[in-house]
């Protein structure tokens, strides 16, 4: 996982939105985040954990989450952009948002926690969470990628069981838990063995002797089947010849019947042939001329009617045009008066404008009269505000200014006093609880040790005795199983025949079955012994765990006693410091803080009132200036209006006509103007409409005259065509022999499908010819006319009898051949099953051994210890360099970390005997080694490691060595981030972000570049 960008808003001290540009910081390989204590450095790690896993390191998930929202913010928003996956190729965005309840400020609504993936430049929502995206839980993330403040040595302080569990979850060691798989395989082998035994029992009836007997029968039946097949083939040839003659005889009878039917249809066909011939002649030669005569008659009548209508329209158009010309002249006379009427309208509009200006003059005069008293009243109010401000400023000067540093010190002391008292009470309660737990664990230890028999000196000896007993019982059970296996084959022994096992001819004392009861009893004894052994082993493990817990509780009790003494000393020191300021109790301290705050609040309230009054004074000053500007504008407007009135009166041309309108309302004048304008417009539109109508009538009269000439010519031409077509029609009737004109007209009117009739006549002639030809061909063939049905039926019966005989023989041969094949396959299958059964017996013995090896989680613990040892070896490469080859880390069989002290002969000593600086160095090396293993597991080309503080316990030389180690990680393609307030580190690291706490705006982030 590589961070790219982090947006923080509303978290802890981050009041306003701040952006940490990790992509620019990580480009340097080694970067820092520096700032004073309490500036908000560690909150950056808290923001990353919250955006990824939805919880922080400082506060628990229940009850305390509300405290992480900034007290002056109503919204918390985190946007964390990072890359992850193989080679960190994919980009993701984790978003965490929470808001305060608008009705209850102390309540925080449930947070929205979502993840997005960048696909083709766009963010698309996904359902996967941080554990799936990054590949590790929050606890592992804090120990391998981001190590929060105070959690640096958490890994080495873990119990061995927790360390092994972490290795299992982090590196997927559950794949080495083979006990279930081995048990499943063993169960499957036993079930398969039972299935093979059942299959072998089903194949006992198949043998080589039975196969030989069936092969001899097959040879005899094959000869009989061959002879029957030859007879059937000859009979089949004869029957095929007779079937052919039978088919042709039936065809002959059918064609003869068809010919008789066609001869009966011939008279009707000849009648249709004659009608078809006449219809084609009439349609081809006479009908086109007849249709021309009919169409020409219709055109002649149409043009004749059109000529009559055009002559009547000519008279009507002449009368209408004369009337329209008279009306047009009357409208022209009326429109000549238009200029004089429009001049009077313009004068009346000037009258309206003068009336409007008079109204504006009156308004401006009233505005000037009203504004002056308002200005005088506001100036008087200004003087009163100035007097009150002077009095309040004098009162504020009498109150002493509060020293914010003293108040902050007192409030910090009060908070520290309360915290020390709470921690002291909590530690005393924890110490009591630890003693109670230690007593309970000691009782459990005594109870477990009391279960060891007096004959055994320890759990190990007791377990060894049980294992020996189980091995002896299993040997006895195996002997019984072998004996039963031999008894199962006793029935195969016969005097004079060799034993399949030893080859003896005589069998004087064969084994007898002792039944299944003894074997079942022995198995039950073994199972009971194994259960007892598991119970003893469980008790041993419980004892070891209880001893470890007791040791940890004793350590914790000692630690708590030390912490209580330190808290007592700190509380006494704080009281001594406050006594110098005449404060002897926590209540007196709170009273002192309250008095300072009240004085400060009173002075602040007075200053706020002064500020408010000054703001009012400034507001009134602005209003006075605005009023003075308004009165000036009103005076200017009044002068402008008077000038406009005089100008408008001079523009009126007919003042005598307009005088009578000055006393009228504006609406009445406008109504008169509108009426005259409408009358002028209506006269103009009427003239234009009348002229347009006159033009249309004249155009229609001209068109009617042209139509009269055209229709007269068309009428005369139609009459000439009609006479010509009538003469041609009479000549064609005589030429084609149609003397009866009504009969000819009926032919024209008939709807005969000529093509269909011609096709039917042609098909009839063709069918009759084909039928006669086929009859002649069939009668000429030999045997068709003399065919006898009775002789054919006798031959067919004989053929079916031979066929049944041949099929029966063939079926017997096929059935016997199938039985031979089945017997051969079964014998082969029997051999394969016997071989498989032998292999399964061997596999079962191997799986039993593996089942004993993998029982429980022993193998997973073994692999986990290997991973821890590799982790220890990797950490030693750096740790020995940091401590100048004086110390190295080691891990024993119980996964407990030790220190090898080379200055004292290479002897082992506990890890907790290291100094604070050495413990930090060991924790750093183990954390870097663990991060390196995770990097290899995730197949990433880069890895990221971020730690908070941890450098304060180092001297300058150790700090330099650690810093050189961190810088060398850049050559391993590792990115390292450090959060610290140690000045030496700030001087060494060139690329960093600086966090400062602004009292007004909260934490602010700046950069070194």
């Amino acid at each position: 996982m590589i961070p790219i960008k982090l947006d923080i808003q509303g978290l802890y001290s981050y009041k306003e939105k701040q952006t940490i540009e990790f992509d620019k910081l990580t480009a340097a390989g080694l970067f820092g985040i520096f700032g004073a204590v309490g500036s908000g450095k560690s909150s950056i790690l808290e923001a990353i954990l919250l955006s990824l896993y939805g919880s922080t390191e400082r506060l628990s998930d229940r009850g305390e989450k509300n405290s992480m929202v900034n007290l002056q913010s109503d919204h918390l928003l985190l946007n964390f952009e990072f890359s992850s996956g193989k080679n960190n190729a994919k980009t993701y965005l984790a978003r965490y948002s929470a808001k305060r309840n608008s009705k209850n400020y102390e309540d925080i609504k449930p947070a929205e926690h979502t993840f997005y993936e960048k696909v083709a430049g766009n963010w698309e929502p996904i359902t996967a969470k941080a554990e799936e995206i990054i590949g590790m839980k929050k606890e592992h993330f804090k120990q391998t990628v981001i190590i929060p403040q105070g959690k640096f040595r958490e890994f080495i302080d873990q119990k061995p069981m927790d360390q092994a569990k972490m290795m299992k979850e982090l590196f997927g060691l559950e794949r080495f838990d083979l006990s279930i798989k081995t048990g499943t395989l063993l169960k499957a082998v036993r079930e398969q063995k039972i299935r093979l035994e059942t299959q072998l029992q089903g194949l006992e009836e198949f043998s080589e002797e039975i196969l030989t007997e069936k092969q001899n029968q097959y040879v005899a039946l094959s000869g009989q089947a061959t002879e029957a097949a030859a007879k059937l083939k000859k009979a089949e040839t004869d029957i095929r010849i007779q079937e052919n003659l039978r088919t042709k005889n039936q065809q002959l009878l059918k064609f003869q019947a068809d010919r008789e039917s066609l001869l009966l249809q011939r008279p009707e066909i000849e009648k249709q042939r004659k009608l078809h011939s006449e219809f084609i002649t009439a349609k081809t030669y006479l009908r086109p001329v007849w249709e021309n005569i009919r169409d020409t008659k219709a055109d002649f009548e149409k043009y004749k009617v059109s000529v009559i209508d055009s002559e009547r329209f000519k008279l009507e158009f002449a009368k209408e045009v004369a009337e329209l010309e008279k009306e047009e002249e009357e409208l022209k006379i009326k429109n000549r008066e238009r200029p004089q009427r429009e001049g009077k309208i313009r004068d009346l509009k000037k009258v309206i404008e003068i009336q409007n200006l008079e109204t504006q003059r009156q308004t401006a005069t009233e505005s000037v009269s009203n504004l002056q008293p308002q200005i005088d009243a506001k100036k008087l109010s200004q003087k009163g505000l100035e007097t009150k401000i002077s009095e309040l400023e004098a009162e504020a000067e009498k109150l002493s200014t509060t020293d914010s540093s003293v108040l902050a010190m007192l409030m910090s002391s009060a908070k520290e006093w309360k915290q020390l008292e709470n921690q002291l009470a909590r530690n005393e309660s924890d110490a009591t609880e630890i003693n109670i737990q230690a007593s309970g664990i000691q009782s459990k230890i005594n109870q477990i040790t009391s279960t060891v028999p007096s004959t055994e000196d320890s759990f190990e000896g007791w377990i060894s005795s049980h294992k020996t007993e189980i091995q002896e019982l299993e040997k006895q059970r195996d002997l019984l199983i072998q004996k039963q296996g031999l008894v199962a084959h006793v029935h195969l022994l016969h005097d004079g025949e060799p034993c399949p096992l030893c080859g003896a001819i005589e069998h004087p004392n064969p084994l007898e079955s002792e039944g299944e009861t003894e074997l079942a009893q022995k198995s039950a004894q073994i199972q009971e012994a194994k259960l007892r052994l598991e119970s003893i082993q469980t008790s041993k493990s419980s004892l070891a765990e209880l001893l470890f817990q007791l040791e940890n509780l004793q350590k914790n009790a000692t630690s708590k006693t030390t912490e209580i003494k330190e808290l007592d000393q700190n509380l006494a020191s704080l009281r001594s410091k406050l006594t110098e300021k005449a404060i002897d109790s926590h209540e007196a301290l709170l009273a002192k803080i309250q008095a300072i705050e009240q004085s400060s609040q009173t002075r602040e309230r007075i200053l706020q009132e002064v500020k408010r009054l000054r703001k009012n004074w400034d507001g009134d000053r602005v209003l006075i200036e605005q009023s003075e500007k308004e009165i000036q504008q009103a005076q200017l407007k009044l002068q402008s209006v008077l000038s406009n009135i005089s100008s408008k009166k001079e523009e009126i041309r007919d003042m005598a006509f307009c005088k009578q309108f000055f006393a009228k309302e504006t609406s009445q004048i406008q109504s008169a103007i509108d009426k005259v304008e409408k009358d002028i417009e209506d006269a103009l539109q009427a003239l234009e409409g009348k002229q347009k109508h006159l033009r249309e009538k004249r155009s229609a009269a001209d068109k009617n005259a042209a139509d009269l000439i055209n229709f007269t010519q068309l009428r005369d031409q139609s009459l000439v065509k009609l006479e010509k077509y009538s003469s041609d029609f009479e000549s064609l009737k005589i030429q084609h022999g149609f003397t009866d004109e009504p009969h000819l007209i009926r032919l024209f009117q008939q709807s005969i499908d000529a093509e269909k009739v011609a096709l039917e006549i042609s098909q009839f002639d063709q069918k009759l010819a084909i039928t006669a030809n086929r009859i002649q061909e069939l009668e000429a063939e030999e045997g068709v006319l003399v065919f006898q049905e009775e002789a054919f039926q006798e031959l067919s019966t004989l053929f079916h009898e031979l066929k049944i005989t041949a099929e029966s023989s063939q079926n017997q041969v096929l059935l016997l051949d199938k039985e031979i094949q089945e017997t051969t396959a079964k014998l082969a299958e029997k051999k394969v099953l016997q071989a498989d059964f032998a292999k399964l017996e061997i596999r079962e013995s191997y799986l039993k051994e593996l089942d004993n090896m993998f029982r429980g989680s022993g193998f997973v613990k073994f692999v986990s210890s290997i991973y821890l040892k590799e982790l220890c070896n990797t950490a030693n490469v750096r740790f020995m360099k940091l401590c100048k080859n004086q110390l190295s880390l080691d891990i024993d069989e119980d996964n407990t970390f030790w220190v090898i002290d080379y200055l004292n002969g290479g002897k082992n000593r506990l890890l907790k005997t290291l100094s604070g600086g050495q413990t930090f160095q060991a924790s750093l090396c183990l954390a870097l080694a663990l991060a390196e293993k995770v990097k290899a597991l995730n197949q990433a080309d880069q890895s990221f490691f971020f730690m908070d503080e941890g450098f304060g316990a180092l001297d300058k030389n150790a700090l330099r060595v650690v810093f050189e180690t961190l810088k060398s990680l850049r050559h391993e393609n590792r990115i390292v981030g450090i959060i610290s307030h140690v000045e030496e580190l700030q001087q060494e690291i060139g690329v960093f972000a600086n966090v400062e706490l602004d009292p007004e705006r909260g934490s602010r982030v700046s950069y070194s570049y």
Side-chain angles (χ1 to χ4, degrees):
M1 190 279 293
I2 306 295
I4 299 175
K5 187 173 70 173
L6 174 65
D7 294 334
I8 311 179
Q9 182 179 0
L11 178 68
Y12 296 127
S13 59
Y14 286 86
K15 179 180 177 182
E16 299 179 356
K17 181 180 178 180
Q18 295 293 300
T19 299
I20 292 84
E21 299 171 347
F22 278 112
D23 52 349
K24 297 180 180 178
L25 294 173
T26 56
L30 176 64
F31 67 91
I33 295 179
F34 302 131
V37 175
S39 61
K41 306 184 301 300
S42 300
S43 298
I44 295 175
L45 297 190
E46 293 280 299
I48 294 176
L49 289 174
L50 185 60
S51 61
L52 289 176
Y53 295 98
S55 60
T56 66
E57 181 61 28
R58 301 184 200 175
L59 304 177
S60 64
D61 291 344
R62 293 187 177 179
E64 296 181 346
K65 262 192 173 183
N66 293 358
S67 299
M68 67 187 173
V69 182
N70 185 277
L71 295 176
Q72 298 181 23
S73 301
D74 57 359
H75 183 226
L76 184 152
L77 178 63
L78 302 174
N79 287 320
F80 180 47
E81 187 177 343
F82 63 97
S83 60
S84 185
K86 186 176 180 181
N87 290 329
N88 297 309
K90 295 183 178 181
T91 304
Y92 299 91
L93 174 66
R95 187 177 187 275
Y96 187 93
S97 175
K99 294 182 179 180
R100 292 188 183 274
N101 192 332
S102 58
K103 298 181 179 178
N104 183 5
Y105 191 78
E106 300 297 328
D107 181 37
I108 305 296
K109 293 182 179 179
E112 296 180 3
H113 194 193
T114 52
F115 289 86
Y116 303 85
E117 181 181 356
K118 182 173 283 188
V119 179
N122 298 319
W123 292 113
E124 295 186 0
I126 57 176
T127 57
K129 299 302 180 183
E131 291 186 7
E132 302 174 47
I133 297 172
I134 300 177
M136 62 182 73
K137 295 181 179 179
K138 176 186 172 184
E139 292 74 17
H140 305 157
F141 186 78
K142 292 189 301 180
Q143 294 172 345
T144 59
V145 180
I146 289 181
I147 301 181
Q149 191 176 32
K151 300 292 181 180
F152 205 74
R153 55 176 293 166
E154 190 174 85
F155 177 68
I156 60 176
D157 289 339
Q158 280 184 334
K159 298 178 183 178
M161 291 181 63
D162 295 334
Q163 291 173 348
K165 182 179 178 182
M166 177 180 173
M167 294 294 104
K168 177 180 176 182
E169 294 177 349
L170 197 57
F171 298 103
L173 301 185
E174 63 273 359
R175 63 183 185 276
F176 295 107
D177 189 1
L178 304 176
S179 59
I180 298 176
K181 295 181 179 178
T182 306
T184 304
L185 290 174
L186 182 59
K187 181 180 178 182
V189 166
R190 287 172 176 169
E191 292 177 352
Q192 191 173 0
K193 187 177 175 183
I194 294 171
R195 286 197 299 271
L196 288 179
E197 287 178 344
T198 305
Q199 291 175 349
L200 286 171
Q201 290 175 1
L203 296 175
E204 288 181 356
E205 58 181 289
F206 297 97
S207 63
E208 294 290 340
E209 294 80 7
I210 295 174
L211 177 62
T212 303
E213 181 181 351
K214 290 185 177 182
Q215 288 174 343
N216 294 334
Q217 292 177 4
Y218 178 78
V219 173
L221 285 173
S222 295
Q224 295 176 8
T226 303
E227 183 180 354
K231 292 180 180 179
L232 177 63
K233 186 175 182 181
K234 183 179 181 302
E236 186 177 6
T237 303
D238 295 340
I239 196 69
R240 293 288 175 267
I241 294 172
Q242 291 300 317
E243 284 179 348
N244 188 29
L245 290 174
R246 186 188 185 195
T247 301
K248 290 182 178 180
N249 180 265
Q250 291 176 351
Q251 289 178 354
L252 177 60
L253 294 175
K254 179 179 178 301
F255 282 123
Q256 288 174 349
D258 291 345
R259 183 178 60 180
E260 294 298 328
S261 177
L262 290 172
L263 291 175
L264 292 174
Q265 297 176 13
R266 178 178 285 180
E268 183 63 28
I269 292 298
E270 292 298 332
K271 184 178 178 181
Q272 288 185 358
R273 195 193 307 273
K274 180 181 178 183
L275 179 61
H276 177 264
S277 176
E278 291 179 350
F279 177 77
I280 292 299
T281 302
K283 180 180 179 182
T284 303
Y285 299 105
L286 296 171
R287 185 170 182 177
V289 179
W290 178 75
E291 289 179 348
N292 287 336
I293 292 172
R294 186 180 59 184
D295 294 340
T296 305
K297 282 182 179 180
D299 290 342
F300 175 75
E301 293 297 329
K302 180 179 68 175
Y303 295 141
K304 183 179 178 182
V305 172
S306 297
V307 168
I308 296 170
D309 290 340
S310 296
E311 290 176 346
R312 178 170 52 83
F313 289 149
K314 181 178 179 181
L315 298 175
E316 292 177 357
F317 280 136
K319 182 179 179 182
E320 289 178 358
V321 167
E323 291 177 355
L324 289 172
E325 287 175 347
K326 181 180 179 182
E327 293 174 357
E328 178 191 15
E329 186 61 28
E330 293 176 355
L331 290 172
K332 283 181 178 180
I333 294 170
K334 187 175 182 179
N335 277 279
R336 290 192 189 102
E337 299 174 356
R338 179 178 176 181
Q340 295 83 359
R341 302 178 77 185
E342 287 179 345
K344 291 183 178 181
I345 288 173
R346 284 193 294 272
D347 288 345
L348 289 177
K349 287 182 178 179
K350 297 295 181 182
V351 171
I352 292 175
E353 292 177 3
I354 291 171
Q355 288 181 342
N356 292 333
L357 289 172
E358 287 291 342
T359 303
Q360 293 177 13
R361 181 185 62 77
Q362 185 177 359
T363 303
T365 303
E366 292 176 355
S367 178
V368 171
S369 302
N370 294 333
L371 285 173
Q372 190 60 49
Q374 294 178 6
I375 293 172
D376 296 338
K378 287 177 181 178
K379 286 182 178 180
L380 184 61
S381 176
Q382 288 280 83
K383 293 181 180 180
L385 287 174
E386 290 171 359
T387 304
K388 193 170 183 180
I389 289 170
S390 300
E391 293 174 355
L392 290 174
E393 286 177 344
E395 185 179 352
E397 288 176 358
K398 295 178 183 178
L399 296 173
S400 60
T401 304
T402 303
D403 189 349
S404 59
S405 61
V406 173
L407 178 61
M409 185 274 292
L410 293 176
M411 293 178 70
S412 176
S413 299
K415 184 178 180 180
E416 185 181 358
W417 193 329
K418 192 64 177 177
Q419 287 177 347
L420 289 172
E421 288 180 345
N422 292 338
Q423 290 176 3
L424 187 61
R426 188 164 54 249
N427 284 342
E428 289 174 349
S429 175
D430 292 344
T432 305
E433 182 66 25
I434 289 170
N435 292 330
I436 294 172
Q437 290 180 4
S439 300
I441 291 173
Q442 186 63 51
S443 300
K444 292 180 181 178
I445 292 171
N446 296 335
Q447 183 179 358
I448 292 173
T449 53
S450 66
T451 59
V452 180
S454 57
T455 56
E456 303 292 345
D457 56 349
S458 64
F459 271 101
E460 287 75 11
W462 195 11
I463 290 170
S464 177
S465 300
H466 269 75
K467 286 183 177 178
T468 304
E469 179 184 352
I470 290 171
Q471 290 174 356
E472 184 63 29
L473 289 172
E474 287 180 341
K475 288 180 181 178
Q476 295 175 9
R477 183 189 63 184
D478 292 342
L479 289 174
L480 287 174
I481 291 172
Q482 293 174 3
K483 186 176 179 181
Q484 283 193 356
L486 294 173
V487 168
H489 297 83
V490 167
H491 68 281
L492 300 174
L493 299 177
H494 302 287
D495 291 337
E497 296 181 4
C499 174
L501 183 64
C502 63
I505 302 300
E506 296 182 355
H507 319 291
N509 188 22
L511 291 172
E512 294 182 359
S513 175
E514 298 181 5
E516 298 289 336
T517 306
E518 186 175 356
L519 178 60
Q521 291 176 352
K522 194 63 65 179
S523 298
Q525 292 175 3
I526 293 171
Q527 186 65 26
E528 185 178 355
K530 287 183 178 180
L531 291 174
R532 287 199 301 272
L533 177 60
E534 290 180 0
S535 176
I536 296 169
Q537 290 175 337
T538 302
S539 298
K540 180 188 174 184
S541 301
S542 300
L543 179 62
E545 185 175 352
L546 289 171
L547 288 171
F548 183 76
Q549 293 177 3
L550 181 61
E551 183 182 357
N552 286 338
L553 287 173
Q554 291 171 350
K555 293 177 185 178
N556 291 337
T558 304
S559 175
K560 289 294 179 184
T561 303
T562 304
E563 290 179 8
I564 290 171
K565 290 180 180 179
E566 291 178 356
L567 291 171
D568 284 332
Q569 292 174 359
N570 293 338
L571 186 58
S573 175
L574 179 62
R575 286 174 175 171
S576 175
K577 183 173 66 174
L578 292 174
T579 303
E580 298 174 359
K581 297 183 179 295
I583 298 173
D584 56 355
S585 66
H586 189 260
E587 290 74 12
L589 176 59
L590 294 177
K592 181 70 173 177
I593 292 171
Q594 186 176 6
I596 294 174
E597 287 179 342
Q598 286 179 352
S599 175
S600 176
Q601 289 173 0
T602 302
R603 187 174 186 276
E604 182 65 25
R605 189 169 59 253
I606 292 172
L607 293 176
Q608 289 293 331
E609 181 64 17
V610 170
K611 184 177 180 181
R612 185 184 67 79
L613 292 174
R614 287 191 179 277
K615 185 177 180 181
N616 292 340
W617 187 90
D618 292 337
D620 288 345
R621 180 70 260 172
V622 171
L623 292 175
I624 291 170
E625 292 175 355
Q626 289 178 351
S627 298
E628 289 176 345
K629 289 180 180 179
E630 289 177 3
I631 196 170
Q632 291 175 0
Q633 291 175 356
Q635 291 172 349
L636 291 173
K637 187 174 181 180
L638 179 60
Q639 293 176 0
S640 175
V641 168
L642 292 173
S643 176
N644 287 335
I645 290 172
S646 176
S647 176
K648 292 296 180 183
K649 285 182 178 180
E650 292 176 357
E651 291 177 1
I652 296 175
R653 294 183 179 181
D654 191 355
M655 181 59 74
F657 171 76
C658 295
K659 280 183 179 181
Q660 57 181 331
F661 289 97
F662 278 107
K664 293 184 178 181
E665 296 289 336
T666 302
S667 58
Q668 294 176 349
I669 300 171
Q670 187 62 46
S671 176
I673 292 172
D674 293 340
K675 184 178 180 181
V676 174
E677 286 180 341
K678 185 177 184 304
D679 188 50
I680 292 171
E681 186 65 26
D682 289 346
L684 181 61
Q685 290 179 358
L687 177 60
E688 291 175 351
K690 192 64 67 176
Q691 290 174 342
K692 181 180 179 182
H693 192 193
L694 180 59
R695 288 194 298 271
E696 290 174 353
K697 285 298 179 180
R698 287 173 177 170
S699 175
D702 294 340
K703 182 178 180 299
N704 183 69
D707 288 344
L708 178 60
I709 297 170
N710 185 37
F711 289 144
T712 302
Q713 294 175 353
L714 291 174
R715 181 193 61 186
D716 297 340
Q717 291 173 2
S718 298
L719 182 60
V720 174
K721 286 182 182 180
L722 182 60
E723 292 174 352
K724 181 180 179 302
Y725 289 146
S726 299
S727 175
D728 293 342
F729 185 68
E730 292 297 329
S731 300
L732 288 171
K733 282 198 302 182
I734 296 169
Q735 180 181 350
H736 293 286
F738 290 102
T739 56
D740 188 0
E741 185 171 341
H743 173 67
L744 180 60
I745 300 303
R746 286 196 296 272
L747 282 177
F748 291 159
Q749 295 175 348
Q750 282 187 357
S751 58
I752 298 175
D753 190 346
E755 293 182 0
K756 181 178 179 183
V757 173
L759 180 62
E760 289 175 356
I761 294 169
S762 174
Q763 287 177 348
F764 175 81
D765 294 340
Q766 186 179 5
K767 190 181 293 184
L768 183 61
I770 291 171
T771 302
N773 188 36
R774 287 296 295 155
I775 290 172
Q776 186 179 357
E777 290 175 355
L778 291 172
E779 287 177 348
E781 289 189 21
E782 184 181 356
V784 175
L785 287 173
V786 297
F787 174 78
Q788 294 181 358
E789 183 66 25
E790 294 79 5
F792 174 78
Q793 294 297 334
E794 291 177 0
L795 183 61
S796 178
T797 302
L798 177 61
F799 171 74
H800 285 300
E801 291 175 355
L802 290 173
K803 185 177 181 181
I804 291 170
T805 302
E807 288 178 351
S808 176
S809 300
Q810 187 66 28
N811 289 336
Q812 291 179 4
V813 171
L814 292 173
L815 182 61
L816 190 58
D817 180 56
K818 186 176 180 181
E819 291 179 356
I820 291 170
Q821 292 178 4
E822 183 181 0
T823 303
T824 304
K826 292 293 184 182
L827 287 174
E829 183 183 357
K830 186 175 182 181
K831 291 179 182 178
V832 173
L833 289 175
Q834 288 172 346
D836 292 343
F837 187 77
K839 292 179 182 178
L840 283 175
E841 288 184 328
I842 297 172
R843 179 174 173 79
E844 184 183 18
S845 64
Y846 291 160
L847 287 173
K848 285 181 180 178
E849 187 67 25
L850 290 174
D851 186 50
N852 292 330
M853 289 173 58
F854 296 140
R855 187 166 296 165
S857 300
F859 191 58
V860 176
K861 294 176 182 177
F862 171 72
V863 175
S864 177
S865 64
I866 293 176
Y867 271 77
L868 284 170
K869 288 177 181 178
E870 289 182 358
L871 184 68
C872 186
N873 294 333
T874 305
N876 272 329
V877 176
R878 292 190 178 90
F879 182 60
M880 294 181 69
K881 181 179 179 181
L882 291 175
C883 63
K884 301 178 180 179
N885 294 323
Q886 297 176 5
L887 303 171
S888 69
L889 300 173
D890 192 18
I891 191 166
D892 60 12
E893 295 180 355
D894 295 329
N895 295 337
T896 302
F897 281 104
W898 294 82
V899 177
I900 301 176
D901 191 343
Y902 295 107
L903 296 179
N904 292 301
K907 294 182 179 180
N908 290 358
R909 58 190 176 98
L910 292 174
L911 186 64
K912 62 184 178 181
T913 61
L914 293 176
S915 66
Q918 291 172 333
T919 302
F920 170 76
Q921 292 173 341
S923 301
L924 172 63
C925 295
L926 284 170
L928 290 172
L930 188 59
E932 186 174 335
K933 296 295 182 184
V934 172
K935 170 189 173 185
L937 179 66
N938 293 334
Q939 300 179 350
D941 55 356
Q942 275 190 325
S943 65
F944 180 70
F945 185 74
F946 209 163
M947 54 185 171
D948 187 1
E949 296 294 351
F951 301 101
L954 303 179
D955 56 23
K956 290 186 177 181
N957 291 330
L959 185 63
R960 181 183 56 79
V961 175
V962 170
F963 182 70
E964 293 297 329
T965 302
L966 295 176
K967 286 201 298 185
S968 67
L969 294 176
R970 289 183 293 184
H971 304 295
E972 303 174 17
N973 213 8
R974 302 277 288 276
I975 299 171
V976 179
I978 298 170
I979 293 180
S980 178
H981 62 274
V982 178
E983 294 183 0
E984 289 81 354
L985 283 176
Q986 298 182 29
Q987 297 171 0
E988 294 289 345
I989 297 176
V991 177
F992 60 86
N994 189 48
V995 183
E996 296 180 354
L997 182 60
D998 188 290
E1000 296 291 334
R1001 306 177 66 183
S1003 296
R1004 311 287 295 174
V1005 180
S1006 59
Y1007 300 93
S1008 60
Y1009 45 82

